[in-house]
Structures are given as C-alpha cells and as structure tokens.
Amino acid sequence: MRDTGIGIAPEHIAKLFQPFVQVDSALNRQYEGTGLGLALVKRIVELHGGQVGLTSEVGVGSCFTIDLPYVLAPSATPVLPPPNVLNTEQRQPDPSSIPLILLVEDNEDNIVTVAGYLEVQGYRLLLARNGQEAIDWLQTQCPDMILMDIQMPGMDGLEAIRRIRHDLSLGQVPIIALTALAMEGDRDRCLAAGANDYLSKPVKLKQLAATISRFLEPPQTG
Ligand code: MN
C-alpha cells in the first residue's frame, strides 16, 4: 500500500509499530489515532509467519508491504495438472485488468478495516488521507472506483467529489461516499456533489461488498 502522505523520518520507523505510540504526540497534531492500527497489523501478520515492511521519505510518502508465506494445502489430487491445462488456465491475470480502488480516508481504524478487506478480495488499492491527496493521485491514476470519506482535514470529501466531477476528466468513475451515521441529510449532499452512492460509517464489510459489486466485477483470483 502506497501513500503520498507526510512521510516518516528514519528515526521514527522503529517505534511506529509499537502499540499506543503516535510519532506526533502533540495535542494539536493534525492526524488523529490511538496508535494501535499498525501494531495490530504487525502482530497479525507475524502470527501468520509473515512480515511487514516499510520504506518512507518525509514529505514524499510511505510504502507499506506485507509478505505472507504461501503454503499449498495437502491434496489427494496430483499436484501437476495435464500440460494442456497448465498452459491455458495457469496464466497469471494481467495486473491492469484487476480493478483499482482509490480509498480516501483519514481515520486509521477505517483504513485498516477497509483497505485490509479490499486487499484480501484482491483489488489493487491507492490510499489518500484527504481530498487534496486524492486529487493528486488522479493526476496520474485512473481508478475504477473511489471510496470517499466526507469528514477529513484540509479538503473534505464533498469538495473533492465536486472537483472530481467538474475539473477532472475521469468520466463517470463511481464514487461511494463514506458518511457518519449521525449526519442526517448528508446523503443528499453527497449525491448532489456527484457521488453515486453512500455508505454509513462505521462501514460494515457486507454492505461494502454489496455496494462495490453493483459497480465493479470482483477480481479474478487464482
Ligand atoms: Mn474522516
């Protein structure tokens, strides 16, 4: 997962994965969170025998990677299929045919939940933490769908949706707004701004899956 965020200094990378540690612990910091998300990710990945990697540059962005060991399940059937099957059906899918989803969200817990789910489903993923970062991604990337949080620091989701619909030549990329349950009437504001649909937060994965499937074919796995 790659972002174009504030980046992380080398001396902060080691403590990034410790629980309840925020690199910026000032009371007026711009980015909220409990400091548990990355610690949980690391713990879960390591329990599966994998590891979490991170490269980052301050002011440029960060790239998180997760390596998980792939173990073939024991099987009664022969390991190798007949050669003709091997040649036609074992081909890797073309990466550009896998749907690309831009997730725009500032809340760390929601990022872990939604991004984790989408990656398990096999989607390719871009992450932005406010509207401006989303616009920046769209200068070079053409996602097949955008999941847009509404309340974010800097440029909020409504403004970002309006700019995407008016300024950018993205055609009719589906935009799903993510809104807090308490915000009655926000559904109409999201749709008026140009969103195709909305999901109430906290996002339930079943509803997320159902909504995505109305706009996108799921990735071909295997
Ligand atoms: Mn938010």
Side-chain angles (χ1 to χ4, degrees), residues 114 117-118 147 199 203-213:
V114 176
Y117 172 79
L118 294 175
L147 300 175
L199 284 168
V203 174
K204 296 188 181 58
L205 294 182
K206 207 171 176 181
Q207 289 173 353
L208 177 66
T211 302
I212 290 176
S213 69

Side-chain angles (χ1 to χ4, degrees), residues 35-183:
L36 269 181
L38 284 172
L40 281 174
V41 168
K42 183 168 190 282
R43 191 77 57 83
I44 291 169
V45 168
E46 287 177 353
L47 281 171
H48 285 87
Q51 55 188 10
V52 177
L54 167 61
T55 55
S56 188
E57 196 176 330
V58 171
V60 176
S62 308
C63 179
F64 289 85
T65 58
I66 291 176
D67 292 314
L68 289 171
Y70 174 64
V71 183
L72 273 177
S75 167
T77 55
V79 171
L80 286 177
N84 58 332
V85 177
L86 190 68
N87 285 333
T88 55
E89 294 190 3
Q90 298 296 307
R91 228 173 261 158
Q92 292 293 320
D94 174 6
S96 64
S97 72
I98 300 172
L100 177 65
I101 296 181
L102 171 59
L103 172 62
V104 191
E105 171 63 82
D106 64 306
N107 180 280
E108 210 58 52
D109 296 335
N110 291 331
I111 291 172
V112 169
T113 304
V114 176
Y117 172 79
L118 294 175
E119 292 197 331
V120 165
Q121 294 300 306
Y123 292 105
R124 293 182 298 140
L125 195 59
L126 297 171
L127 176 63
R129 288 169 197 270
N130 59 48
Q132 186 57 55
E133 286 185 24
I135 302 289
D136 291 346
W137 269 126
L138 296 174
Q139 307 306 315
T140 56
Q141 303 287 324
C142 295
D144 299 288
M145 169 176 280
I146 300 173
L147 300 175
M148 181 74 76
D149 182 29
I150 297 302
Q151 290 182 306
M152 291 182 292
M155 189 193 299
D156 67 34
L158 288 177
E159 179 63 20
I161 293 171
R162 285 189 205 106
R163 292 210 190 181
I164 291 167
R165 288 298 185 229
H166 289 110
D167 301 348
L168 302 168
S169 53
L170 280 168
Q172 288 304 303
V173 56
I175 301 178
I176 310 300
L178 310 176
T179 74
L181 255 185
M183 298 160 71

